[in-house]
Amino acid sequence: MAACALRLTGWFAVNVLAAAGVLALILFAIGDFSLPVTMAQLANLADRYVAANAIRRDQFDSQVIIGFFAILLTVTFFRRGGFARAFEDASDKGKPSDAR
């Protein structure tokens, strides 16, 4: 049971990190794949975020969260095979199969 929980935790952590990487890649693409331009775009976004009222910030926050979870769902869909393998018994991996 503990091994299964650890495998599932690792699977989920990799999915979250992959989704964060896709989000970072999107931000990098907005900056025309140039680090100085990306940082300038993020600085502009941060200035506008601070200047916005609370309602607009909440709207932006919800859009970012929904976007992140959509990316996470997509990554999870493409990595669904690892989810099933997390439930396999580790003691069966060393045994030869009965197929001849």
Side-chain angles (χ1 to χ4, degrees), residues 42-87:
L42 288 175
N44 184 26
L45 178 65
D47 290 340
R48 291 175 184 265
Y49 183 83
V50 170
N53 61 17
I55 295 171
R56 304 264 309 184
R57 275 191 233 147
D58 288 342
Q59 288 174 344
F60 179 77
D61 291 346
S62 65
Q63 287 177 352
V64 170
I65 290 170
I66 289 169
F68 179 77
F69 280 114
I71 294 169
L72 180 62
L73 186 64
T74 304
V75 169
T76 302
F77 173 76
F78 286 114
R79 296 196 69 243
R80 67 189 180 276
F83 182 77
R85 284 192 303 269
F87 293 105

